[in-house]
Structures are given as C-alpha cells and as structure tokens.
Amino acid sequence: MSGGDTRAVSACPRMAAAHGPVATSSPEQNGAVPSEATKKDQNLTRGNWGNQIEFVLTSVGYAVGLGAFMFPYFIMLIFCGIPLFFMELSFGQFASQGCLGVWRISPMFKGVGYGMMVVSTYIGIYYNVVICIAFYYFFSSMTHVLPWAYCNNPWNTPDCAGVLDASNLTNGSQPAALSANLSHLFNYTLQRTSPSEEYWRLYVLKLSDDIGNFGEVRLPLLGCLGVSWVVVFLCLIRGVKSSGKVVYFTATFPYVVLTILFVRGVTLEGAFTGIMYYLTPQWDKILEAKVWGDAASQIFYSLGCAWGGLITMASYNKFHNNCYRDSVIISITNCATSVYAGFVIFSILGFMANHLGVDVSRVADHGPGLAFVAYPEALTLLPISPLWSLLFFFMLILLGLGTQFCLLETLVTAIVDEVGNEWILQKKTYVTLGVAVAGFLLGIPLTSQAGIYWLLLMDNYAASFSLVVISCIMCVSIMYIYGHRNYFQDIQMMLGFPPPLFFQICWRFVSPAIIFFILIFTVIQYRPITYNHYQYPGWAVAIGFLMALSSVICIPLYALFQLCRTDGDTLLQRLKNATKPSRDWGPALLEHRTGRYAPTTAPSPEDGLEVQPLHPDKAQIPMVGSNGSSRLQDSRI
C-alpha cells in the first residue's frame, strides 16, 4: 500500500542560532524561509520541488509497503529503516545529484550507482505490468455483476466453486443432497478453484503451462500497459515540476479509498475475527531467526532503500531543507500505512472467512494472489460489489503510479546528470519519452501467457539479494571510506546540526550489521522460486541469478575500471586516489560551497585559511553549474 498520514510540511526555517551559522547566503537564497522568495528554484537549470509537501508526498508514494509481524517490524524500522532512509535523503540532497552523480564522494564506488540504475530498470519494467493488470481489473469492474463473481462463464471449469454459487446451493436451488452448510461445502470442495482464481488464471492471463511457453501476447493487457506508460510519461513530462503536482492526488486519495473500505470492512460480520488474526502475534516464534529476517527484509524493501529513488527525489530538495525531519515523517508514515492497510484487508478477509465458516488462514493469501484473487473474491460478497471493486483497483493504480514515478525519474535524472550538458537538459522530455518507450517494449513479454512467471522471477531475483549488497556497500563506503566525521560535517553544513547520536551509531555499526544479517539470512533461507504448484526449471532460476548479479557486478567492474584510469605509481596509491572525493564533490551551487568546499580564492579574514594559488598568475576554480556538472573557470588572483 502507499501513502501516509501526511500533513502540510512547509519549507523548514533555518536552524536556530544555537546550532551556529551554516552558510553565508541569505535565507531567501537558500529557500529556508517561508516567503515568496522560497518559491523560486535554487537550482534554476535542474529545478527543485515546488514545495516540501510535494517531496514528502512523492517519497511516501514511493516508499510504503504492506504489513509484517509487529514487534520485529518496529524494531527493524527504528534501527535500520529510518537510519538508512535518512542517509539516502541526506546523500542526494547534499550533492543535488542523482544516483550516479553523488558518487563523486568516492569515484571508485560509482558502480553502486550503476547497480541502482539496473535495479530500478528491472523494477520499472515489471512494476508497470502490475499497474496495467490493476487497470484491467478497474475497467472490468465497470459492470452490474463482477465477471469473477460466478462460475457460469465460458472460461470456468467443472472444478469451479464460487462463494455466491455456494450460497445459491444452500438456498434450495439445487437438490437437497447438495444443500449442506457452507462450512461442509467448503471442506468438501477443499481443492476447489474459485471463480476469481479462474478469472485471473484462465481469462486475464490465459496462463501457459511453462515459463518458456510464451504463447500469445494478451492484447487487453498490452493495451492497459500502453495506457499505464502514457499516464506515467504525461505525469513526468516536466520532471518533478509536473509529478510534484500529480502526487497531491496520487498520494492522498488512496487514503480516502482506504478509509472508505475500512469503515465498510469493520461493519461486516466476522471482521473482528479477521482483525484479531492480523494483530495476534505468535510469541512462540519470537526467537526464530526467520521471523526477524522477514521483518528486516520487509522494512528494507518497503522503504525503497538502494533503488536510487530516494537519492534522486532528495536531489531536487533545496540545500538547507530539513531532510532529517522528512525521513522520520515518511518512514513512520510508511509503517502506519502498512498497519492501517492490514486492518482494511483482514477485516474483509475475516468477513469472508465467517461467510464460509472457515478459519481466516484458509482465505488469506499473499503477493498477486491477495491483490487479484483473494481480495476480488471477498469484494463479490459486498453489496454493490462493482463500486467497491472500482474503488479498490483505483487505489491500487494510484499506489503503483506513486512508485513508478520515482523509478522512471531515477533513470532519467541519472542519465541527464551524467551527461550534464545544456543540450540534454533542454531535451529532458525526450529522454523521459525514450525511457518510457523502452520500458513499454521491454514489458511486452510480461503481457504474454507466460508473463506472470517472468514477472515473479524478476521480483524474486532482480530486486532482492542485490538490494542488500548495494545498500551494505553504500553504507560502508560513506562511513568508512569517505569517513564518518566528514559526512557528519557535511550534514551539519547542510542542516545546521550534526546527525543525532542515535543515527551516528546506527550508520556506523547497527545498520550495517542488520544489513549483513539480512544478507546471511537470505542465503541460508534460500528456496527455489515456485508459483502455486509450478516449479521453475533450472535454466529459469539461472536467469534469475544472472539478473541479480547484473546489478551487483557493476560495483567491482567499475572499481577495476576506475583503478586502471587513476594516476598512481603503485596499486596502493591508485587505490587511495580512486577512493578520495573528486574535486567537484560537494554542494552543487556555488553559494552553498563554504568551509572546505569554498572555491580557491584569495583568503578572507572570515575563514582564516591561507590558500595557495595553483598557478603564479591564475588559479582554476571548479565552478559547479546548476546541473551539477563541473566546469573550470580561470580566475585572476
């Protein structure tokens, strides 16, 4: 689920004088005072968010996930989720660069940025396919009777046994021998296939029998995929200037729908049973490593760490924006939304279990099965079911779009910032169009009859193990290669105060340890991927591992490349030069480059530094343009 209990968050005032001055620029220049001047972009070429609400809403729409075991979930949120979230936001905001440009902090590790781009590419391809399926169900709900409500359709099999059909049986419309209570009927047809499952498998997907058997492209899904990519492109046509306005709706309206479904759900008979099933922890499993591993993984993935999206979204913030506050708000919003969504889901599943006379665990599902099988089936039991179905799938579409906006903007920003010339800045819309067209073409195989197999393969391999490795290397490179003291000073320059002691400890010790634990847990608990009863063949699993490695391999390959092109007489000297920050690392705008980032100019009484010119006649000053690109400008000393 996506969204959060967001409230109006204006551009933050500068830190109190007790924290000391952080820059020589005026408040109006750095965008930290809530006045008309703050509406102007600091970074005129690259652009900034219109206001801080847009950033918070976009990040909320990107970050949030669904449900988990409560106690480990909260522990992992506090010690891993929020600290990593803050690190990525501060990283991108300080440099005003995307996931590639920020690695001027340590050029040897730029492969981490390329790895993030690869991961975002994979996710962006299959995530929009999920959105297109939600579009398909949304359009299919525009009818008097939902098409997955009964078993009287051409695609249904003799094994189909619908909940509503079962109700008809007990109303005497069939012979008395079959008129048993719902519980008996459900147990008797334990191996039944529901009409919603057959609609999903036999009609929407027309699922083939093997991942290698692509069959035909499902034209209705292909059309919906085109619609979803067009929507994403139109919302990003002006970058964050257009998407920032769209998120006012996409990140908040799902809460309206969620609240409507919640109010309806808790008034249903059996809803309390479902909610208790959701809230009751299994304390006998509290010491099991798997429970903690699952909670850590859920926090890690639901917040969107290591995708590159957080760095990219934060790069459009104004330099002195309080990203510490934002990270706490967004992370807690994510957690609260997940819990809230769990109440909505399990209240209706509890009603469904009560209707069938079975335990809630019998009707609960996960993954695509929850969104497109179990929940649609539960919706058929509600009065005016097409209305609730329309609301539910409209909510799913908005939630998906919130994440997709960030994924696409991550790729576009990385490309534009990396090239960095005026031509590509002016043609950014065409870059966005090119990325969208490429994403649509690469997503076509996922709309075939074997598409769901490939979608789950990408989800399980392309965006799991590799995220943990990328995040771990990012954390270690910033804290131990660049140096934690340097990074803490950067944050103090930007925010006016150093990161709180809790975050310093988490960044240096606790969070890397948790990430390493998730990594070990992922390896130990590895099980070959399956889809229902289908076992993936060995060659498909091998492709999955190759997708996972394709992002991780960027890190050592680029490190070797950087070592080869770096000056130095010995390997140790090359290694030292390749890991130290580049000359243009630091704040993107000249007005923010103070202290150790100040340009090489004549020393002033304020800084007390004696700066030696690079040349007896002139020195070359790195001038960082509005797009973050470095240019050298001669300045007479």
Side-chain angles (χ1 to χ4, degrees):
M1 295 296 135
S2 176
D5 184 17
T6 54
R7 53 180 179 265
V9 183
S10 60
C12 69
R14 296 185 66 183
M15 295 299 106
H19 296 298
V22 296
T24 59
S25 58
S26 65
E28 287 76 8
Q29 287 176 306
N30 62 41
V33 173
S35 64
E36 278 300 311
T38 64
K39 294 183 180 180
K40 297 180 181 179
D41 290 345
Q42 286 182 339
N43 207 322
L44 296 177
T45 307
R46 196 170 185 274
N48 295 111
W49 293 107
N51 58 58
Q52 215 46 38
I53 303 175
E54 295 177 5
F55 166 68
V56 171
L57 292 180
T58 301
S59 300
V60 162
Y62 169 70
V64 296
L66 172 65
F69 180 43
M70 297 299 180
F71 182 67
Y73 184 78
F74 285 120
I75 294 296
M76 293 299 175
L77 174 73
I78 293 171
F79 290 100
C80 186
I82 298 178
L84 286 178
F85 204 89
F86 180 29
M87 173 179 281
E88 290 204 31
L89 291 191
S90 59
F91 195 21
Q93 181 175 306
F94 182 79
S96 297
Q97 290 286 295
C99 62
L100 291 181
V102 290
W103 289 103
R104 293 167 183 169
I105 192 175
S106 185
M108 184 175 168
F109 291 94
K110 192 175 182 178
V112 174
Y114 284 108
M116 290 177 173
M117 284 188 67
V118 173
V119 169
S120 289
T121 300
Y122 285 133
I123 298 174
I125 291 170
Y126 77 77
Y127 209 89
N128 230 18
V129 175
V130 176
I131 298 173
C132 95
I133 296 173
F135 265 114
Y136 185 87
Y137 270 79
F138 176 76
F139 295 139
S140 299
S141 301
M142 296 178 181
T143 178
H144 294 296
V145 178
L146 294 175
W148 57 85
Y150 296 100
C151 290
N152 57 355
N153 301 289
W155 59 83
N156 291 126
T157 67
D159 295 328
C160 181
V163 174
L164 296 178
D165 294 317
S167 300
N168 291 335
L169 288 176
T170 59
N171 287 335
S173 59
Q174 296 293 329
L178 296 178
S179 298
N181 61 54
L182 284 174
S183 177
H184 174 74
L185 180 64
F186 186 86
N187 291 327
Y188 180 74
T189 61
L190 191 59
Q191 302 301 320
R192 77 182 181 102
T193 55
S194 66
S196 63
E197 181 183 348
E198 292 198 349
Y199 179 77
W200 161 252
R201 183 167 49 88
L202 301 178
Y203 185 73
V204 177
L205 302 178
K206 286 193 176 179
L207 190 64
S208 66
D209 57 354
D210 185 72
I211 187 173
N213 181 14
F214 283 92
E216 64 179 14
V217 172
R218 297 287 294 120
L219 293 180
L221 291 182
L222 182 63
C224 290
L225 181 63
V227 169
S228 59
W229 273 112
V230 167
V231 170
V232 171
F233 169 69
L234 292 177
C235 292
L236 287 173
I237 196 167
R238 294 182 57 235
V240 296
K241 289 300 182 185
S242 54
S243 67
K245 302 299 183 289
V246 174
V247 294
Y248 281 109
F249 181 71
T250 60
T252 56
F253 188 75
Y255 278 95
V256 177
V257 179
L258 208 58
T259 302
I260 293 172
L261 292 173
F262 174 74
V263 172
R264 180 64 184 126
V266 295
T267 58
L268 297 170
E269 186 177 357
F272 181 74
T273 304
I275 292 174
M276 289 307 299
Y277 175 83
Y278 170 60
L279 292 178
T280 303
Q282 297 173 311
W283 293 110
D284 56 318
K285 296 183 178 181
I286 192 68
L287 297 179
E288 291 184 11
K290 185 178 187 306
V291 173
W292 289 87
D294 286 342
S297 299
Q298 172 70 15
I299 284 293
F300 185 83
Y301 299 130
S302 69
L303 286 175
C305 297
W307 293 16
L310 298 178
I311 294 174
T312 301
M313 294 303 105
S315 73
Y316 290 101
N317 280 337
K318 295 179 180 178
F319 185 73
H320 292 299
N321 169 64
N322 191 345
C323 57
Y324 165 65
R325 172 204 60 199
D326 294 341
S327 62
V328 174
I329 290 175
I330 297 166
S331 300
I332 293 178
T333 295
N334 164 62
C335 183
T337 302
S338 298
V339 173
Y340 186 38
F343 280 99
V344 177
I345 297 293
F346 279 90
S347 63
I348 295 184
L349 292 182
F351 163 68
M352 185 177 180
N354 179 76
H355 189 83
L356 291 170
V358 297
D359 190 74
V360 179
S361 60
R362 294 278 192 94
V363 297
D365 206 334
H366 63 278
L370 177 62
F372 300 116
V373 177
Y375 208 84
E377 185 174 15
L379 292 173
T380 62
L381 301 176
L382 299 176
I384 325 177
S385 55
L387 172 63
W388 304 111
S389 184
L390 281 169
L391 287 173
F392 176 73
F393 287 110
F394 186 54
M395 179 181 67
L396 284 188
I397 291 168
L398 295 180
L399 302 179
L401 289 175
T403 298
Q404 192 67 18
F405 291 159
C406 294
L407 290 169
L408 189 62
E409 187 62 40
T410 296
L411 298 175
V412 173
T413 298
I415 295 170
V416 172
D417 284 351
E418 185 66 9
V419 176
N421 57 40
E422 294 297 325
W423 179 86
I424 199 167
L425 285 166
Q426 294 172 359
K427 304 295 183 183
K428 185 177 179 181
T429 300
Y430 294 102
V431 178
T432 305
L433 177 62
V435 173
V437 170
F440 170 74
L441 295 176
L442 292 171
I444 290 177
L446 274 63
T447 62
S448 68
Q449 291 179 256
I452 193 67
Y453 297 127
W454 289 99
L455 189 151
L456 292 174
L457 186 73
M458 295 176 73
D459 184 46
N460 278 269
Y461 289 95
S464 56
F465 168 81
S466 53
L467 289 179
V468 183
V469 175
I470 289 172
S471 187
C472 187
I473 294 176
M474 180 185 70
C475 203
V476 170
S477 62
I478 294 176
M479 288 294 105
Y480 296 99
I481 305 299
Y482 177 63
H484 63 277
R485 289 187 179 88
N486 289 333
Y487 196 68
F488 297 160
Q489 289 173 10
D490 290 344
I491 290 181
Q492 180 156 8
M493 173 194 290
M494 180 172 64
L495 302 184
F497 58 91
L501 180 62
F502 171 78
F503 285 88
Q504 296 183 23
I505 295 173
C506 284
W507 285 348
R508 296 183 62 192
F509 308 111
V510 181
S511 297
I514 291 177
I515 296 172
F516 185 72
F517 162 70
I518 299 173
L519 184 60
I520 299 299
F521 168 79
T522 304
V523 174
I524 294 176
Q525 297 290 330
Y526 171 75
R527 297 289 183 274
I529 183 176
T530 61
Y531 177 57
N532 293 337
H533 301 294
Y534 175 75
Q535 297 284 339
Y536 279 69
W539 63 267
V541 175
I543 291 177
F545 276 111
L546 288 176
M547 284 192 291
L549 291 175
S550 64
S551 56
V552 176
I553 200 67
C554 294
I555 302 173
L557 287 181
Y558 191 87
L560 289 173
F561 169 74
Q562 188 68 23
L563 276 175
C564 292
R565 65 195 293 252
T566 302
D567 295 332
D569 297 328
T570 64
L571 178 61
L572 186 62
Q573 187 64 42
R574 285 173 175 261
L575 190 64
K576 182 178 179 180
N577 291 336
T579 54
K580 70 180 182 181
S582 62
R583 290 184 60 190
D584 53 356
W585 160 251
L589 299 185
L590 189 60
E591 65 191 82
H592 298 139
R593 294 180 77 89
T594 59
R596 57 198 174 102
Y597 295 105
T600 309
T601 57
S604 66
E606 295 179 0
D607 50 39
L609 297 176
E610 185 176 351
V611 181
Q612 296 295 331
L614 300 178
H615 189 274
D617 294 326
K618 60 184 180 180
Q620 289 189 308
I621 304 174
M623 300 294 291
V624 179
S626 58
N627 63 351
S629 62
S630 176
R631 298 188 295 275
L632 294 177
Q633 176 175 304
D634 291 339
S635 178
R636 297 285 177 183
I637 300 299

